[in-house]
Amino acid sequence: QIYFDGPNQYMKRHEKKLRRERRQDEWENTRQLCLHGILPESGPSKFRSSARRQAREYERGGAANEDDAASDAELYLGSFPLSPLVMAQIERSICAFAENMSTLLPSGSVHTIRCDGEADVAVACASAKDVT
């Protein structure tokens, strides 16, 4: 079973506020890049970039690698907003997969569930009831 959050997510109000603020920062990063060619200097992607760079250096024993620039550029993607359609497309792809798999797998083995609220609650309840 694949669960999707519904519109009534009362427990995530604080998280939604934080995401909204983060999204504003991501759009500002996009504006700065488009207008001035400036990449973000701070934020989670910069931290991950530093951490990953250190991990790569440790794995290589300190040797330089030509893939570093490409890896660092990829890590900056977390500083920019996702398209509003990304989650809708992911959900549609999963639903299509579940529909197609129903012809190959035993009946009812793969299906999607749209919850009224947070999917976490439904997943926990289903897991508690599952005796397999």
Side-chain angles (χ1 to χ4, degrees):
Q1 297 176 348
I2 302 168
Y3 294 85
F4 294 106
D5 286 337
N8 304 324
Q9 299 181 20
Y10 304 108
M11 300 293 284
K12 293 187 178 179
R13 285 186 181 153
H14 178 69
E15 181 64 27
K16 281 186 173 184
K17 181 181 179 234
L18 293 176
R19 287 178 184 170
R20 200 171 26 255
E21 292 169 359
R22 189 169 47 233
R23 210 168 292 123
Q24 289 173 346
D25 290 342
E26 292 169 351
W27 280 110
E28 179 59 23
N29 290 341
T30 302
R31 189 177 82 77
Q32 290 296 323
L33 180 63
C34 292
L35 294 176
H36 308 292
I38 299 172
L39 285 171
E41 292 182 12
S42 63
S45 68
K46 184 68 174 178
F47 173 76
R48 286 193 306 262
S49 177
S50 296
R52 288 219 181 142
R53 186 180 304 110
Q54 290 173 1
R56 285 192 308 266
E57 288 174 6
Y58 177 77
E59 288 172 359
R60 291 191 308 265
N65 187 341
E66 62 273 1
D67 292 335
D68 280 350
S71 296
D72 288 344
E74 184 178 323
L75 291 170
Y76 274 107
L77 291 177
S79 297
F80 299 101
L82 290 174
S83 164
L85 296 175
V86 167
M87 292 309 295
Q89 180 59 55
I90 290 171
E91 183 176 341
R92 302 258 308 162
S93 296
I94 290 172
C95 289
F97 172 80
E99 188 177 306
N100 289 332
M101 287 292 101
S102 66
T103 60
L104 301 173
L105 298 173
S107 179
S109 61
V110 178
H111 62 280
T112 59
I113 298 171
R114 164 65 65 187
C115 301
D116 291 331
E118 296 177 41
D120 301 1
V121 176
V123 169
C125 289
S127 177
K129 294 175 185 175
D130 186 7
V131 295
T132 59

